[in-house]
Amino acid sequence: DMLSRRLERDGHVVTVSAHGRQALELMSAQPFDLLLLDILMPGMNGIQVLEHVKEDVHLRYIPVIMVSALDEMDSVVRCIEIGAEDYLPKPCNPTLLRARVGACLEKKRLRDREVLHLQEIEIERKRADELLHVILPDTAVRELKQTNTVTPRQHDNVAVVFCDVVGFTQYCNQYPPENVLLHLQHMVERFEELSVQHGLEKIKTIGDAFMATAGLLTPADNPVLNSVRCGLDMIDALQQHDSPWQIRVGIHVGPVFAGVVGKRTFVFDVWGDTVNTAQRVEGNGVPSAVTMSANAWATVADACDGTSLGMVSMKGIGELEIFRVDRLRPSVHAHSV
């Protein structure tokens, strides 16, 4: 009673327990910042209570001050070994009581701040990790964490898809930016969904152009066929949602280099003649249609009906035959659904 009154006079909120089991029940029911524990108690003695506290993951960080008579020093030493912070001899000196209680409470406050700070750091780390996975493919993130870099590598038999809005510049000149961005955001979000659905990896958007690959990071039996299905669904998606735009889809297949360049701003990208050719095929394509190079067409000719658009002269590439996909054959289309 005298000890609790002194603590209350110092401004502390004090809860008194008659025995060890009641103390453990109280601490399990509500939070406490400090435990003053007598060694001699009915039922459970102070050493047993201390052992329970230090074994409980929810209670082990509550500081404990042992209250003991001078002839219990061996027991006090045992309690310090178990994890008690300090001890007070009985009868308690008010000045010593105030000093040791204050020191333990300050240590508890510092630990609580540390725990909160570590929790905030973990939350921020998870946010950063989630953002990194949005920016980079999973394989690139793993390599970046392990080596602090992502080495560009060559990948063979990769289908590169370019999708571009027809007459985008003229549309922008006629409508306010808010209107343009609204349609652009909806279109890109839908194209991202379709890319995932058909096993493609979105690489980037460049203005109104959407670029993706198939067979780069995720194995595909026929990357071009996956790309054709995705391209046709992209065209249908705009038509079904009454979009004001038409798109051209171009596909080429071949080897590419893929990786991350830069140190401050990480961007996963692909390079090579395959990429350049896919972009040229798209630029020479037909609105609301999927167009592809002869090499790409050769991999899906048995699964699609199409029309040759003849030889087209492409800057930096030369003469190249391109094909328009008219439709997927019924059995192939049913399989994709």
Side-chain angles (χ1 to χ4, degrees), residues 247-262:
I247 57 171
R248 292 186 301 263
V249 179
I251 302 172
H252 184 53
V253 65
V256 300
F257 284 93
V260 174
V261 292

Side-chain angles (χ1 to χ4, degrees), residues 157-218:
N157 195 36
V158 175
V160 179
V161 182
F162 274 91
C163 175
D164 198 14
V165 175
V166 179
F168 184 73
T169 302
Q170 293 87 339
Y171 185 91
C172 292
N173 292 334
Q174 297 174 9
Y175 294 92
E178 296 82 2
N179 180 286
V180 175
L181 288 175
L182 180 65
H183 287 296
L184 191 61
Q185 179 69 22
H186 177 79
M187 182 187 78
V188 171
E189 287 180 0
R190 183 61 182 132
F191 286 1
E192 289 176 342
E193 294 171 359
L194 290 171
S195 296
V196 173
Q197 179 181 327
H198 291 285
L200 274 65
E201 307 97 2
K202 174 192 171 183
I203 301 300
K204 59 185 174 182
T205 55
I206 313 163
D208 61 312
F210 184 93
M211 178 185 174
T213 59
L216 177 65
L217 301 174
T218 304

Side-chain angles (χ1 to χ4, degrees), residues 209-230:
F210 184 93
M211 178 185 174
T213 59
L216 177 65
L217 301 174
T218 304
D221 293 335
N222 191 329
V224 176
L225 187 57
N226 286 14
S227 301
V228 170
R229 290 170 177 158
C230 186

